[in-house]
């Protein structure tokens, strides 16, 4: 299946839409990744803290798609910033591969930011050695990016941050763009869409998004993923449900008109689901 890509500041490319696997466990994770690869996904997003790198590695090995055709992202968890080489090698072993396409510092860890900087500097060497193809960050604010960039050689290729229609982060998108850093949206469809209490973060039930989805004869999730892509963002929706995995990837053959992009933009409520990067320490 045809898909779109984004190009990093180091000229490498990455598929714009990938499968997130946070909270996907055991066999469920293996099956979901295989369905995704069969569907045409070529980007898988995991992290050491998700506890499923071994399942990701297993699914890739068992699939018909070659490792070289898959873009694999994992992330280092904050306490491991003390020894990033061991953390990287442990992830590679679990993933059953000798390189990752993208390695991210999972959170900035503001109370020990000097350690964060040192970890990034150490990982720059792993880029040279070929164990990491591209190095990036996650959940970094403008101030944290600026501070990091004062001390490192490689500009992060990507900043993975929470972005969805109720938390559109336009300012952070601009900050990343100005630094030639790709923005990748986590919880791109609101993350907690299954909340049974019908609380505000249920983006899937948003009336405006439902109206737009009717206009294009698309699902609300497909509309949200188009909105991300047309804003220049990569997105990694998570699902372990085969029909949803397939449907979430069917987003490359329609285009939201400007007026609908503006409507989507107007939904922002500055409603963050995850912690604030200034307050989250490992
Ligand atoms: N860097 C970070 O700090 C960070 C933080 C959070 C997440 N992430 C990454 O971002 C990925 C995505 O974020 P997320 O998992 O929090 O949230 P999300 O992708 O916004 O939402 C996932 C939820 O939506 C459901 N869903 C998926 N497709 C659907 C569809 N078509 N219709 C209805 N429901 C649908 C999933 O259910 P089912 O699985 O049951 O189908 C799951 O409950 C994660 O998996 C992880 O890889 C990174």
């Amino acid at each position: 299946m045809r898909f779109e890509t984004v190009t990093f500041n180091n000229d490498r490319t990455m598929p714009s839409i990938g499968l997130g696997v946070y909270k996907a466990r055991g066999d469920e994770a293996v099956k979901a990744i295989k369905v995704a690869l069969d569907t045409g996904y070529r980007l898988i997003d995991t992290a050491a803290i998700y506890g499923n790198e071994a399942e990701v590695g297993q699914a890739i090995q068992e699939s018909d798609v070659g490792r070289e055709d898959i873009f694999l992202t994992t992330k280092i968890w904050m306490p491991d910033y003390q020894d990033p080489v061991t953390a990287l090698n442990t992830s590679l072993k679990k993933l059953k591969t000798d390189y990752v396409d993208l390695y991210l510092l999972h959170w900035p860890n503001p109370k020990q930011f000097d350690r964060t900087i040192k970890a990034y500097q150490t990982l720059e060497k792993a880029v040279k050695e070929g164990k990491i193809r591209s190095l990036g960050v996650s959940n970094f604010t403008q101030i944290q990016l600026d501070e990091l960039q004062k001390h490192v050689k490689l500009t992060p290729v990507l900043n993975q941050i929470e972005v969805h229609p109720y938390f559109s982060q336009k300012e952070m998108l601009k900050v990343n763009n100005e630094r030639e850093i790709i923005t990748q949206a986590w919880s791109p469809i609101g993350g907690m869409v299954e909340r049974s209490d019908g609380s505000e973060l249920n983006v899937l039930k948003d009336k405006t998004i439902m109206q737009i989805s009717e206009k294009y004869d698309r699902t609300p999730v497909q509309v949200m993923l188009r909105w991300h892509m047309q804003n220049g963002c990569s997105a990694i929706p998570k699902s372990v449900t085969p029909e949803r995995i397939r449907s979430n990837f069917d987003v490359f053959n329609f285009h939201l008109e400007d007026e609908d992009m503006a409507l989507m933009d107007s939904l922002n409520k500055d409603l963050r689901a995850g912690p604030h990067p200034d307050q989250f320490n490992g």
Side-chain angles (χ1 to χ4, degrees):
M1 191 189 280
R2 185 182 71 93
F3 57 82
E4 291 174 22
T5 58
V6 292
T7 303
F8 292 155
N9 58 36
N10 63 6
D11 291 332
R12 292 189 183 272
T13 59
M14 175 188 74
S16 54
I17 298 292
L19 183 76
V21 296
Y22 179 41
K23 291 187 184 158
R25 285 291 154 93
D27 268 1
E28 184 185 58
V30 175
K31 277 184 199 146
I33 295 160
K34 285 186 184 169
V35 170
L37 292 172
D38 275 352
T39 303
Y41 286 73
R42 291 295 179 266
L43 161 62
I44 310 292
D45 180 89
T46 185
I49 195 70
Y50 300 169
N52 58 16
E53 287 177 312
E55 284 81 0
V56 172
Q58 181 190 337
I60 291 175
Q61 269 194 348
E62 288 175 7
S63 89
D64 296 332
V65 184
R67 168 68 187 95
E68 65 284 3
D69 294 323
I70 296 170
F71 189 104
L72 184 54
T73 303
T74 194
K75 314 180 193 87
I76 177 169
W77 192 238
M78 289 171 277
D80 291 334
Y81 294 177
Q82 283 192 80
D83 186 1
V85 173
T86 302
L88 173 63
N89 288 337
T90 304
S91 286
L92 291 176
K93 198 168 173 205
K94 287 183 181 166
L95 290 164
K96 300 172 231 334
T97 184
D98 50 14
Y99 71 94
V100 280
D101 296 277
L102 180 60
Y103 201 48
L104 303 179
L105 298 188
H106 206 143
W107 286 87
N109 206 24
K111 277 200 182 145
Q112 293 173 304
F113 200 69
D114 48 345
R115 187 182 284 173
T116 303
I117 292 169
K118 272 199 195 123
Y120 191 98
Q121 289 167 333
T122 303
L123 292 170
E124 285 183 311
K125 291 181 202 135
V127 175
K128 270 202 175 150
E129 290 163 8
K131 289 184 176 180
I132 298 172
R133 293 259 161 104
S134 297
L135 187 56
V137 296
S138 179
N139 299 301
F140 273 49
T141 62
Q142 173 175 3
I143 291 171
Q144 289 155 349
L145 279 180
D146 287 344
E147 190 54 30
L148 178 79
Q149 287 199 260
K150 274 189 217 156
H151 301 280
V152 302
K153 292 196 185 80
L154 298 174
T155 300
V157 297
L158 176 148
N159 189 9
Q160 186 183 108
I161 57 174
E162 180 182 348
V163 189
H164 47 74
Y166 289 172
F167 190 53
S168 60
Q169 294 242 56
K170 283 283 167 173
E171 206 38 54
M172 245 348 269
L173 258 70
K174 203 168 142 238
V175 165
N176 287 338
N177 276 344
E178 284 164 358
R179 287 158 184 72
E180 298 189 323
I181 296 173
I182 295 287
T183 303
Q184 188 169 55
W186 64 255
S187 287
I189 58 174
M192 298 179 188
V193 290
E194 294 297 348
R195 271 183 172 182
S196 52
D197 60 1
S199 58
E200 260 192 308
L201 203 64
N202 197 336
V203 189
L204 277 191
K205 291 200 175 133
D206 184 279
K207 284 203 181 82
T208 305
I209 300 181
M210 284 167 87
Q211 278 163 5
I212 297 174
S213 66
E214 275 163 29
K215 172 173 167 184
Y216 291 88
D217 196 17
R218 292 288 177 161
T219 68
V221 169
Q222 289 170 338
V223 167
M224 282 188 255
L225 296 176
R226 266 318 308 174
W227 171 74
H228 284 295
M229 280 191 281
Q230 289 178 220
N231 274 331
C233 273
S234 163
I236 41 171
K238 175 261 175 186
S239 179
V240 291
T241 315
E243 315 85 71
R244 290 175 175 174
I245 294 171
R246 291 188 197 102
S247 148
N248 295 354
F249 201 66
D250 186 12
V251 288
F252 304 107
N253 50 4
F254 77 108
H255 201 267
L256 297 178
E257 291 166 16
D258 289 351
E259 62 179 24
D260 297 313
M261 285 296 289
L263 268 178
M264 293 291 291
D265 287 341
S266 74
L267 299 176
N268 182 43
K269 301 177 197 280
D270 285 335
L271 200 59
R272 194 189 276 279
H276 193 292
D278 283 342
Q279 285 148 17
F280 192 50
N281 288 282

